[in-house]
Short mmCIF file of all heavy atoms in Angstrom, two decimals:
data_model
loop_
_atom_site.label_atom_id
_atom_site.label_comp_id
_atom_site.label_asym_id
_atom_site.label_seq_id
_atom_site.Cartn_x
_atom_site.Cartn_y
_atom_site.Cartn_z
N ALA A 742 -47.22 -41.42 39.69
CA ALA A 742 -46.99 -42.78 40.20
C ALA A 742 -48.04 -43.75 39.68
O ALA A 742 -47.73 -44.90 39.29
CB ALA A 742 -46.98 -42.76 41.73
N GLN A 743 -49.34 -43.33 39.66
CA GLN A 743 -50.40 -44.19 39.16
C GLN A 743 -50.24 -44.47 37.66
O GLN A 743 -50.46 -45.60 37.20
CB GLN A 743 -51.77 -43.53 39.42
CG GLN A 743 -52.16 -43.48 40.88
CD GLN A 743 -52.28 -44.88 41.51
OE1 GLN A 743 -52.77 -45.85 40.90
NE2 GLN A 743 -51.82 -45.01 42.76
N GLN A 744 -49.81 -43.44 36.92
CA GLN A 744 -49.59 -43.64 35.49
C GLN A 744 -48.46 -44.64 35.23
O GLN A 744 -48.56 -45.50 34.36
CB GLN A 744 -49.24 -42.29 34.81
CG GLN A 744 -50.44 -41.35 34.66
CD GLN A 744 -50.02 -40.00 34.08
OE1 GLN A 744 -48.85 -39.66 34.12
NE2 GLN A 744 -50.99 -39.26 33.58
N LYS A 745 -47.37 -44.55 36.02
CA LYS A 745 -46.25 -45.47 35.85
C LYS A 745 -46.69 -46.91 36.18
O LYS A 745 -46.27 -47.87 35.49
CB LYS A 745 -45.09 -45.06 36.78
CG LYS A 745 -44.43 -43.75 36.39
CD LYS A 745 -43.73 -43.84 35.03
CE LYS A 745 -42.50 -44.70 35.12
NZ LYS A 745 -41.80 -44.78 33.83
N LYS A 746 -47.51 -47.09 37.23
CA LYS A 746 -47.99 -48.43 37.59
C LYS A 746 -48.81 -49.04 36.47
O LYS A 746 -48.64 -50.22 36.11
CB LYS A 746 -48.82 -48.34 38.88
CG LYS A 746 -49.30 -49.70 39.39
CD LYS A 746 -50.09 -49.53 40.68
CE LYS A 746 -50.59 -50.89 41.19
NZ LYS A 746 -51.38 -50.73 42.45
N TYR A 747 -49.74 -48.27 35.90
CA TYR A 747 -50.57 -48.75 34.80
C TYR A 747 -49.68 -49.13 33.61
O TYR A 747 -49.90 -50.16 32.95
CB TYR A 747 -51.56 -47.66 34.39
CG TYR A 747 -52.27 -47.96 33.09
CD1 TYR A 747 -53.30 -48.92 33.03
CD2 TYR A 747 -51.90 -47.30 31.92
CE1 TYR A 747 -53.91 -49.21 31.83
CE2 TYR A 747 -52.51 -47.58 30.73
CZ TYR A 747 -53.53 -48.54 30.69
OH TYR A 747 -54.14 -48.82 29.49
N GLN A 748 -48.68 -48.32 33.31
CA GLN A 748 -47.79 -48.59 32.17
C GLN A 748 -47.03 -49.89 32.39
O GLN A 748 -46.84 -50.67 31.44
CB GLN A 748 -46.79 -47.42 31.99
CG GLN A 748 -47.42 -46.12 31.51
CD GLN A 748 -47.94 -46.23 30.08
OE1 GLN A 748 -47.52 -47.07 29.30
NE2 GLN A 748 -48.93 -45.38 29.77
N ARG A 749 -46.58 -50.18 33.62
CA ARG A 749 -45.86 -51.43 33.88
C ARG A 749 -46.75 -52.64 33.64
O ARG A 749 -46.34 -53.65 33.05
CB ARG A 749 -45.33 -51.44 35.32
CG ARG A 749 -44.11 -50.57 35.52
CD ARG A 749 -43.39 -50.94 36.82
NE ARG A 749 -44.25 -50.78 37.98
CZ ARG A 749 -44.39 -49.65 38.67
NH1 ARG A 749 -43.71 -48.57 38.30
NH2 ARG A 749 -45.19 -49.59 39.72
N ILE A 750 -48.03 -52.62 34.14
CA ILE A 750 -48.96 -53.75 33.93
C ILE A 750 -49.21 -53.96 32.44
O ILE A 750 -49.20 -55.08 31.93
CB ILE A 750 -50.29 -53.49 34.69
CG1 ILE A 750 -50.02 -53.46 36.20
CG2 ILE A 750 -51.33 -54.54 34.34
CD1 ILE A 750 -51.23 -53.03 37.02
N LYS A 751 -49.42 -52.85 31.73
CA LYS A 751 -49.71 -52.94 30.31
C LYS A 751 -48.52 -53.53 29.54
O LYS A 751 -48.69 -54.40 28.67
CB LYS A 751 -50.04 -51.55 29.77
CG LYS A 751 -50.44 -51.54 28.31
CD LYS A 751 -50.81 -50.12 27.87
CE LYS A 751 -51.20 -50.10 26.38
NZ LYS A 751 -51.54 -48.74 25.93
N SER A 752 -47.34 -53.09 29.85
CA SER A 752 -46.15 -53.59 29.13
C SER A 752 -45.92 -55.07 29.44
O SER A 752 -45.49 -55.84 28.57
CB SER A 752 -44.91 -52.76 29.51
OG SER A 752 -44.64 -52.89 30.89
N SER A 753 -46.23 -55.52 30.65
CA SER A 753 -46.07 -56.94 30.99
C SER A 753 -47.00 -57.82 30.15
O SER A 753 -46.60 -58.88 29.66
CB SER A 753 -46.34 -57.17 32.49
OG SER A 753 -45.42 -56.41 33.27
N ALA A 754 -48.24 -57.40 30.01
CA ALA A 754 -49.20 -58.16 29.20
C ALA A 754 -48.74 -58.24 27.75
O ALA A 754 -48.84 -59.30 27.10
CB ALA A 754 -50.58 -57.49 29.29
N VAL A 755 -48.22 -57.16 27.26
CA VAL A 755 -47.74 -57.16 25.86
C VAL A 755 -46.58 -58.13 25.69
O VAL A 755 -46.50 -58.86 24.70
CB VAL A 755 -47.32 -55.73 25.46
CG1 VAL A 755 -46.61 -55.75 24.11
CG2 VAL A 755 -48.53 -54.81 25.40
N VAL A 756 -45.69 -58.23 26.69
CA VAL A 756 -44.54 -59.13 26.60
C VAL A 756 -45.02 -60.59 26.58
O VAL A 756 -44.54 -61.40 25.77
CB VAL A 756 -43.58 -58.89 27.78
CG1 VAL A 756 -42.52 -60.00 27.85
CG2 VAL A 756 -42.91 -57.53 27.63
N VAL A 757 -45.96 -60.93 27.42
CA VAL A 757 -46.48 -62.31 27.46
C VAL A 757 -47.11 -62.67 26.12
O VAL A 757 -46.89 -63.75 25.56
CB VAL A 757 -47.48 -62.46 28.63
CG1 VAL A 757 -48.17 -63.83 28.55
CG2 VAL A 757 -46.78 -62.31 29.97
#
Side-chain angles (χ1 to χ4, degrees):
Q743 290 299 321
Q744 287 176 341
K745 292 295 290 181
K746 183 179 179 181
Y747 169 75
Q748 291 293 338
R749 284 197 301 272
I750 296 172
K751 183 178 179 181
S752 62
S753 300
V755 170
V756 169
V757 172

